[in-house]
Amino acid sequence: MGPVLNANILENEMFDEWKGKRVLITGASRGIGAAVARQLGALGARVAVHYHASAGPAETVAQAVRDAGGEAFTLQGDVSRSSEAQRLVDEAAERLGGLDLLINNAGDMLGRVALGDMDDEQYDRVMDLNARSVVMASRAALPHFRRAGRGNIIHTTSIAARNGGGPGAGLYASAKGFVSTLTHSMAKELAGEGIRVNGVAPGTIATDFHERHSNEAQLTAARASIPMGRLGSAEECVGAYVFLGTDTMSGYVTGQVIEVNGGQLMP
């Protein structure tokens, strides 16, 4: 676990808007989602920590949010299923008393599979988790945002959306490309309702994602392609989410995807 933002920054009145802000983060039991949740807790947010199968780690994250000064509870659900995504968002909004920010962070490669070895089941699993979940959770959030007259959505996409990903990651990369394009189209569609939509595209980040899906040779090659010469950490991605979630900092920012990759990709 890395440090939260500098205490002097947290005391800045610009961040006062986070106190009591109602946030749902999907896929928040580990990695980047967990790091974002902990930081938002330090800012005073009220956070619904979603998980699919990792109940213990999710509760650890929720407790870290509470320890940092925020409020938190956990919610279980399989966001790859439309009905579950709908239920999750509605339950989070009910328990929070509304919704100010949805962070669509749930996603996974679900294994490296070459095109020739791909079957319908693999296609459905990857696309449902990484693409369907974003569409359906966002759709479910709209009535809650509309009642409030405003809202904010941040999608987690990936450097793979631009560079096609590594070996066997083509389907995952394509799903993330879908998410990046969806960010732009949703931003155009919803701007008139006071709803901002942006994305964060992490590069090669040292989380259990790569422990599960990348070998040492692949990570060594990735390091060699990064001008900063190292992999990033989950905590180093957090600032982009805080910026996009802080209306006083990014109120005129929508339809953008912030790349966080140590210079690995410079679009």
Side-chain angles (χ1 to χ4, degrees):
M1 182 187 304
V4 296
L5 294 177
N6 183 281
N8 292 330
I9 295 177
L10 296 180
E11 292 171 0
N12 192 308
E13 63 181 17
M14 183 178 293
F15 292 96
D16 285 348
E17 69 175 76
W18 282 99
K19 292 181 174 64
K21 183 169 283 192
R22 302 161 298 183
V23 184
L24 167 61
I25 307 175
T26 68
S29 65
R30 61 191 182 189
I32 293 171
V36 173
R38 290 191 294 266
Q39 180 61 74
L40 299 191
L43 290 167
R46 302 172 61 211
V47 184
V49 176
H50 161 259
Y51 70 97
H52 179 203
S54 304
E59 180 52 42
T60 298
V61 172
Q63 187 58 53
V65 171
R66 299 181 200 114
D67 292 344
E71 300 177 30
F73 56 88
T74 62
L75 288 176
Q76 190 278 335
D78 179 0
V79 292
S80 70
R81 298 170 56 194
S82 298
S83 60
E84 282 288 279
Q86 179 75 52
R87 178 194 61 78
L88 176 72
V89 173
D90 288 343
E91 185 174 346
E94 180 179 1
R95 294 182 62 175
L96 291 167
L99 192 65
D100 299 306
L101 171 62
L102 168 66
I103 300 179
N104 283 311
N105 177 72
D108 195 85
M109 191 184 300
L110 300 176
R112 292 184 181 270
V113 180
L115 178 63
D117 298 323
M118 194 178 302
D119 57 20
D120 284 357
E121 181 182 3
Q122 178 71 5
Y123 178 91
D124 289 342
R125 290 176 66 227
V126 173
M127 296 303 294
D128 285 350
L129 176 57
N130 294 284
R132 178 190 293 273
S133 69
V134 173
V135 174
M136 297 307 173
S138 297
R139 183 186 69 177
L142 288 184
H144 304 290
F145 290 151
R146 284 167 172 160
R147 277 194 289 272
R150 61 186 299 159
N152 196 348
I153 301 174
I154 304 172
H155 302 317
T156 298
T157 176
S158 170
I159 189 174
R162 288 182 178 268
N163 68 14
L171 188 55
Y172 171 78
S174 299
K176 289 300 189 180
F178 175 99
V179 173
S180 292
T181 299
L182 183 71
T183 301
H184 306 317
S185 61
M186 283 178 56
K188 290 180 180 179
E189 179 180 341
L190 301 175
E193 299 185 68
I195 301 171
R196 297 192 296 116
V197 186
N198 292 286
V200 178
T204 309
I205 308 300
T207 66
D208 69 338
F209 177 95
H210 285 291
E211 291 175 8
R212 287 179 285 115
H213 299 306
S214 302
N215 58 40
E216 189 53 42
Q218 290 166 332
L219 293 178
T220 297
R223 288 188 193 94
S225 70
I226 301 172
M228 293 183 72
R230 61 179 178 81
L231 306 186
S233 70
E235 288 73 23
E236 289 176 309
C237 298
V238 167
Y241 293 87
V242 173
F243 168 72
L244 292 173
T246 307
D247 295 332
T248 51
M249 296 176 70
S250 60
Y252 195 53
V253 178
T254 196
Q256 306 304 308
V257 175
I258 298 180
E259 307 284 341
V260 185
N261 58 49
Q264 188 176 11
L265 177 73
M266 301 183 188

